[in-house]
Amino acid sequence: MKTDEIREKYLSFFEKQGCVRRPSDVLVPREDPTVLFTPAGMNQFKEQFMGINIDYTRATTCQKCLRTGDISNVGVTAYHHTFFEMLGNFSFGDYFKKEAIHWAWEFLTGKQWMNINPQQLTVSVYQGKHGFDEEAYRIWHEEIGLPDNRIAKLEEDENYWPASAPSEGPDGVCGPCSEIFYHPDGDSKEVEIWNLVFTQFNRVGDPPDNLRPLPKKNIDTGMGLERMASVMQGVRSNFEIDTLKQLCLAAGDVVGKKYSFDDPAGRPLRRIADHVRAVTFAIHEGVMPDKEKENYVVRQLLRRAVLEGYLLGKTEPFLHQLVPTVAEVMTSAYPELKETVASAQGTIKEEESQFLETIDRGLHHFESAVKSAGKSKSNQISGDDAFTLHTQEGFLIELVEAMANKKNLSVDRKRFDDLMLEFKDTSRGGESGFDSVMAEGPLDAIRKTSGPTEFLGYDSTTADGKIVGIIANKQLVESLEEVGHVLPVAVILDRTPFYGEAGGQVGDSGVLQADGLEFEVLTTQKQKELTLHIGHLKQGVLKLDQAVTAEVVSDRREGIRRAHTATHLLHYALHQTVGKDATQRGSKVDSDELRFDFAHGKSLTDDEIRQIEDIINERVSTGASVETAVMPIEEAKKLGAMALFGEKYPDRVRVVSIGEFSREFCGGTHLSNSGQVGLCKITSEEPVAKGVRRIKALTGPKALGQIRETENLVKELVTLLKTPGPAELPRRIEQLQEELRQTRKEVQKVASQNVSGLVDELIQNAETVGDVKIVTHVAENITREALRDFVDQLRQKGGPIAILLGAELDGKAALIAGVSKDLIKQGVKAGDAVKVAAKEVGGGGGGRPDMAEAGGKNPAALPAAIKAAADFYREKLGG
């Protein structure tokens, strides 16, 4: 039975049991700050498990997941992955143990389903410090008919979720589990294929009496699709199933090794297959290899895969060649992957090239670590050296160990691991604003009591509403009377015209008013279905249930509408100019300002930018109507509406259409026709990440203002350069540049003549320490090039010599040091001397041991700088 068939059979089976088939959630749940990647099927149902937003009480999914906790086991064991698919069925206060167990058994053993021999299945139930799950045992034993010797009774760490700590455990919903095991040969060897979790308690405080029965009990089950496929296909590893075996074989082809499960190259090729699948899915959703959060995880996965190929002898980029295979083998469930193959390949190839260059650059640092081990007569590379190679040189620890092994050395992993534990990823930074209360706590309480905020802003910028929540100091309060509260306050209304920041569009600003009350809204955020008006109390008292009038700053909203509609026009123009592969990777829409990130492997040419700008403004000039409609998501897709990959959409989506040429999923505010944009002017195009470019543009009054500013600048240049008109400016500038070049040549010539006259004099009058001359001098009326020539002439004529010259150039201090090469062996280095001197002029610099330069902001201190350098040379030479 093929993997795609198993997936479909599972979902169909549970649909027959009344479960609503839900699509997989996104791999990167951006509204959930508690995780970087979706780790399990239940993740998208957190609110339903808490009793919030229950539109249905039974669900089934196949969820794409990514975990890295067991990354070292990937490719080694039969069943570990980073990316995998989790089949699940869920109950939110509906069916419970009886149905969950009976349905699981029916699906596994039913002839039209999996048709597994019942004699090859055993189960487990919970028996531990919280007692014995007698109910589950009875169902398995008496109703399903399993004998006692096929029902294992397991402790907390195996059969309770979440498993508690040794003595206590995390507070929150929890419950016993029942696992189902498959025995390939009917013997003691077993494969866990399904876990049924019965969340029936709330764990509060310390044991033993800390379990409180939930008023509504839930079901959360998980079956690994790849593991089930290995059972149904009779293979010994998930990597041998129909989908992953294709990837392993393809990995062998591109690396130049024939894939076989038992071959020494089998393990690394399995890791490559796993990691490229994970990376492809993540990049498809807009996660770029970088140095923070989920981006860092993707970078590490990608580099680990490249490393496996490198250690197999593949020293050039190869991983990107596997992306089409990933899209092909996963196309049945995820056809959208094919739309980003080209951009994902470009991103991966660039990161591969950079990592391979990092390896080349770091080889001499590795050799230094080997020499250090030799000097200390150790058979280990020190943990400190391995840590430096890993964190500063980009050498993954696996690479350090593999290369050390080739030299019959090991690595002090204990010391390395200790250092890594101490190491903090400073790029993550702290959370700010209201992030820490978004996912739970005060907002959950408001959701449960008041429901969602009704948005009225598509039709109006003013509306009456009622205060249903006030958050100050991250706590829910019933009232607030502190005018100008130090930290921003969040006010939640039952209905509002304010647009909460979402989909790239910034939040509205404005005011909430009532008799004697004024609350200034600085920005508006949206957290799921609640809108947070964030700002400061200016007058009066805020109270729960208080009626207020909410008024948006309309001029700003109009500017946002212009920019947002122009963003859709820009997306259309990009596709017309560079092709459909220029998929949207993000955007920001502000008042008459926009930026648009898109997948593209190279910079746009000037002609392409002009063409894009022309297409946008041509569509503006037509005054095409802008229309919105709410429809089922599948209907919108059939109409060709474009969606942002990695964005989570509801079952019914809002579609914004401009004329007959642009149609996108969008919840933002827009104009009624394209002509209201007025004008769109592209201001820049630049890279922002591997394979991602950014266009910035202005609309309406800001676009016109920028054009007028440019016109004024041109007029000023015409006057200053005394040309008949703007058309003559290029010729006049070329003429001035040529005059400047000639002048510089003359200055250089005079400066060189002055230098030649001074060289002999300075050498003759130089201080001597031993047989070494120390020359320090502040030069006047000299160029930087002449200053360098000065040092060269002194070194040629002066024998053993140490030099520090200074000059004022363009209002700043310039310093240059030089020493004879024979002095370097004595520890006298130009770079050290120039650093000492630079401190005196308030600057810094460096360079080669024989010549180094520095600068500073205080030219008045040049005499002190050359004195400091002379003292340095004197000390080094023993004078």
Side-chain angles (χ1 to χ4, degrees):
M1 191 180 291
K2 301 297 185 186
T3 304
D4 290 338
E5 188 180 352
I6 296 170
R7 184 193 298 110
E8 181 54 37
K9 276 183 176 286
Y10 183 96
L11 296 172
S12 296
F13 175 85
F14 281 100
E15 277 188 305
K16 290 179 183 294
Q17 317 311 325
C19 293
V20 176
R21 185 191 291 213
R22 301 294 302 158
S24 171
D25 196 8
V26 291
L27 193 60
V28 183
R30 303 185 192 280
E31 290 186 347
D32 186 350
T34 64
V35 293
L36 294 181
F37 295 96
T38 298
M42 61 81 62
N43 209 72
Q44 68 167 298
F45 300 115
K46 283 185 176 181
E47 290 198 338
Q48 285 86 346
F49 280 123
M50 291 190 293
I52 304 170
N53 287 341
I54 300 182
D55 297 327
Y56 43 85
T57 58
R58 301 180 179 189
T60 184
T61 65
C62 181
Q63 174 63 49
K64 51 183 184 282
C65 304
L66 199 154
R67 301 179 188 170
T68 57
D70 294 317
I71 192 171
S72 60
N73 289 323
V74 172
V76 179
T77 70
Y79 305 114
H80 280 97
H81 301 284
T82 54
F83 176 92
F84 60 96
E85 294 181 83
M86 182 70 80
L87 296 164
N89 61 282
F90 310 91
S91 166
F92 317 118
D94 190 332
Y95 66 85
F96 200 47
K97 292 182 187 178
K98 181 181 179 71
E99 294 86 348
I101 291 173
H102 275 273
W103 291 341
W105 191 255
E106 181 184 352
F107 179 73
L108 291 173
T109 62
K111 288 186 178 180
Q112 70 182 106
W113 306 111
M114 297 296 100
N115 196 26
I116 295 174
N117 182 349
Q119 298 302 314
Q120 291 181 281
L121 298 173
T122 61
V123 303
S124 67
V125 296
Y126 173 68
Q127 183 173 25
K129 63 186 177 186
H130 297 308
F132 175 48
D133 189 356
E134 187 174 349
E135 182 183 5
Y137 176 84
R138 183 187 57 77
I139 296 169
W140 282 118
H141 183 53
E142 297 179 9
E143 299 182 18
I144 300 299
L146 284 179
D148 183 75
N149 64 0
R150 288 170 60 194
I151 306 174
K153 302 173 183 69
L154 301 179
E155 294 273 352
E156 183 123 347
D157 58 341
E158 292 287 341
N159 266 76
Y160 211 86
W161 184 90
S164 68
S167 60
E168 289 127 18
D171 288 354
V173 294
C174 61
C177 305
S178 184
E179 295 174 313
I180 304 175
F181 303 90
Y182 172 74
H183 299 256
D185 303 313
D187 58 17
S188 59
K189 182 183 177 184
E190 63 182 24
V191 179
E192 180 199 334
I193 56 175
W194 207 341
N195 190 16
L196 315 178
V197 181
F198 314 127
T199 49
Q200 61 188 97
F201 298 111
N202 189 26
R203 184 156 45 195
V204 181
D206 299 328
D209 300 320
N210 64 333
L211 296 184
R212 309 284 184 269
L214 290 170
K216 289 188 176 182
K217 299 170 183 177
N218 305 314
I219 291 291
D220 165 20
T221 83
M223 171 194 280
L225 175 60
E226 292 85 356
R227 190 171 297 193
M228 193 64 203
S230 72
V231 167
M232 298 307 297
Q233 294 172 22
V235 294
R236 54 177 165 165
S237 166
N238 293 4
F239 289 95
E240 296 295 286
I241 66 175
D242 57 316
T243 52
L244 284 173
K245 180 71 174 284
Q246 285 189 60
L247 264 179
C248 291
L249 291 169
D253 289 342
V254 298
V255 170
K257 299 283 184 180
K258 185 174 177 60
Y259 174 71
S260 170
F261 188 87
D262 295 314
D263 191 86
R267 182 198 62 79
L269 291 174
R270 289 192 288 275
R271 297 188 88 171
I272 290 169
D274 171 272
H275 291 2
V276 75
R277 188 168 68 147
V279 165
T280 298
F281 270 88
I283 291 175
H284 170 75
E285 291 196 8
V287 183
M288 294 293 117
D290 212 329
K291 56 188 176 183
E292 58 181 55
K293 297 187 177 179
E294 63 270 11
N295 308 82
Y296 179 74
V297 174
V298 168
R299 168 172 281 174
Q300 291 300 93
L301 285 173
L302 196 156
R303 289 186 168 190
R304 283 172 180 269
V306 174
L307 173 59
E308 296 292 354
Y310 183 85
L311 296 175
L312 289 173
K314 192 68 174 176
T315 57
E316 56 191 39
F318 69 90
L319 199 65
H320 63 282
Q321 297 177 50
L322 294 172
V323 175
T325 308
V326 174
E328 186 62 38
V329 300
M330 303 301 293
T331 189
S332 176
Y334 310 102
E336 65 274 10
L337 272 182
K338 289 189 173 180
E339 298 181 43
T340 55
V341 164
S343 61
Q345 282 188 289
T347 298
I348 290 172
K349 186 175 182 180
E350 187 174 347
E351 180 70 21
E352 286 186 272
S353 300
Q354 193 174 86
F355 180 49
L356 290 169
E357 288 172 6
T358 297
I359 292 175
D360 288 340
R361 287 197 306 270
L363 284 174
H364 75 278
H365 293 284
F366 172 78
E367 293 297 335
S368 296
V370 172
K371 288 179 182 176
S372 295
K375 286 180 182 177
S376 60
K377 296 182 179 179
S378 172
N379 62 355
Q380 279 191 328
I381 288 178
S382 74
D384 294 77
D385 283 344
F387 176 76
T388 300
L389 283 163
H390 183 86
T391 56
Q392 296 184 23
E393 303 301 329
F395 260 50
L396 299 178
I397 185 61
E398 292 86 354
L399 175 61
V400 179
E401 288 183 317
M403 293 181 66
N405 186 54
K406 289 182 178 179
K407 295 182 177 290
N408 296 316
L409 295 172
S410 61
V411 176
D412 184 353
R413 276 304 293 260
K414 184 180 185 307
R415 173 61 178 164
F416 172 83
D417 291 339
D418 289 343
L419 289 169
M420 287 300 293
L421 282 174
E422 296 171 12
F423 181 61
K424 293 182 179 179
D425 185 6
T426 55
S427 64
R428 289 183 179 231
E431 301 295 337
S432 60
F434 286 84
D435 293 349
S436 59
V437 299
M438 292 307 186
E440 51 190 52
L443 293 183
D444 283 341
I446 296 170
R447 289 188 188 104
K448 288 179 179 179
T449 57
S450 304
T453 304
E454 182 185 0
F455 179 60
L456 307 169
Y458 292 134
D459 303 312
S460 175
T461 55
T462 304
D464 294 330
K466 181 178 73 173
I467 296 176
V468 296
I470 305 168
I471 300 175
N473 296 329
K474 302 182 181 180
Q475 301 290 326
L476 275 178
V477 297
E478 293 190 359
S479 64
L480 182 80
E481 56 185 50
E482 181 188 343
V483 173
H485 191 269
V486 176
L487 295 173
V489 173
V491 178
I492 298 94
L493 306 180
D494 62 341
R495 56 206 302 267
T496 182
F498 281 76
Y499 183 86
E501 182 174 346
Q505 180 174 325
V506 297
D508 283 327
S509 58
V511 65
L512 308 180
Q513 292 178 311
D515 289 341
L517 168 70
E518 182 182 352
F519 182 84
E520 182 185 12
V521 180
L522 301 174
T523 188
T524 312
Q525 292 183 9
K526 186 175 182 182
Q527 289 302 315
K528 296 183 179 175
E529 70 285 355
L530 293 181
T531 301
L532 281 68
H533 306 78
I534 297 169
H536 293 285
L537 181 63
K538 308 292 285 186
Q539 181 183 343
V541 180
L542 283 172
K543 295 179 183 178
L544 279 180
D545 297 326
Q546 187 174 14
V548 296
T549 298
E551 185 174 352
V552 174
V553 177
S554 57
D555 288 349
R556 182 169 180 268
R557 166 70 78 80
E558 284 303 299
I560 293 170
R561 292 173 68 201
R562 284 190 291 269
H564 203 155
T565 300
T567 301
H568 287 220
L569 297 176
L570 169 58
H571 198 182
Y572 163 77
L574 266 170
H575 282 191
Q576 295 296 303
T577 306
V578 298
K580 300 273 187 175
D581 288 336
T583 52
Q584 183 176 348
R585 290 303 194 186
S587 66
K588 184 176 181 181
V589 178
D590 210 327
S591 182
D592 279 319
E593 297 180 25
L594 68 92
R595 73 177 191 221
F596 188 87
D597 298 345
F598 60 100
H600 199 52
K602 58 184 179 181
S603 61
L604 298 179
T605 65
D606 290 342
D607 284 344
E608 286 173 330
I609 292 172
R610 276 192 293 270
Q611 188 178 347
I612 291 165
E613 194 174 81
D614 287 346
I615 292 171
I616 295 170
N617 286 298
E618 188 274 328
R619 293 297 181 178
V620 169
S621 69
T622 64
S625 64
V626 180
E627 298 178 353
T628 62
V630 177
M631 63 185 73
I633 190 167
E634 292 306 320
E635 181 183 334
K637 289 178 179 177
K638 288 177 183 176
L639 289 172
M642 287 190 292
L644 180 61
F645 296 121
E647 192 71 29
K648 185 176 180 178
Y649 295 101
D651 294 337
R652 292 181 63 80
V653 293
R654 183 170 181 264
V655 176
V656 175
S657 302
I658 308 177
E660 295 298 320
F661 57 87
S662 170
R663 188 172 284 116
E664 297 190 29
F665 291 18
C666 185
T669 59
H670 283 273
L671 304 167
S672 58
N673 73 76
S674 64
Q676 293 168 327
V677 171
L679 176 67
C680 182
K681 179 66 182 171
I682 293 175
T683 57
S684 67
E685 189 271 347
E686 60 192 8
V688 289
K690 290 178 177 62
V692 180
R693 310 290 301 181
R694 172 173 292 169
I695 284 178
K696 292 182 180 178
L698 301 174
T699 58
K702 284 188 180 177
L704 184 60
Q706 208 236 16
I707 290 171
R708 285 177 175 167
E709 186 179 320
T710 303
E711 287 177 346
N712 289 336
L713 177 62
V714 171
K715 287 178 182 177
E716 189 174 344
L717 288 172
V718 166
T719 302
L720 288 172
L721 299 178
K722 299 177 181 177
T723 63
E728 290 296 310
L729 282 174
R731 188 192 61 78
R732 178 60 176 147
I733 290 170
E734 284 182 9
Q735 181 183 354
L736 289 172
Q737 286 177 328
E738 180 56 32
E739 290 176 8
L740 182 59
R741 277 192 290 270
Q742 293 301 324
T743 302
R744 280 179 172 167
K745 284 182 181 179
E746 291 298 319
V747 170
Q748 177 71 22
K749 184 177 179 181
V750 172
S752 296
Q753 290 172 348
N754 291 339
V755 164
S756 297
L758 270 174
V759 167
D760 292 337
E761 181 183 341
L762 288 173
I763 290 174
Q764 185 176 350
N765 297 324
E767 175 186 355
T768 303
V769 176
D771 62 345
V772 180
K773 294 181 174 61
I774 298 175
V775 173
T776 58
H777 176 67
V778 177
E780 297 180 359
N781 300 321
I782 196 169
T783 64
R784 192 175 299 276
E785 291 78 10
L787 204 59
R788 292 172 185 146
D789 183 49
F790 205 161
V791 171
D792 286 337
Q793 290 192 43
L794 285 166
R795 286 197 301 179
Q796 288 170 11
K797 289 189 176 182
I801 192 168
I803 308 156
L804 191 291
L805 304 180
E808 181 177 344
L809 299 176
D810 300 322
K812 294 181 180 179
L815 298 166
I816 184 167
V819 298
S820 306
K821 292 196 174 180
D822 51 348
L823 295 185
I824 298 172
K825 297 177 183 177
Q826 301 177 39
V828 184
K829 297 178 182 177
D832 296 337
V834 87
K835 286 177 185 175
V836 169
K839 289 179 181 177
E840 300 294 331
V841 293
R848 304 191 311 271
D850 63 326
M851 183 178 282
E853 297 184 51
K857 57 188 177 183
N858 183 15
L862 281 168
I866 64 166
K867 180 181 183 301
D871 292 341
F872 169 81
Y873 285 139
R874 200 177 294 114
E875 181 182 350
K876 281 287 184 181
L877 294 167

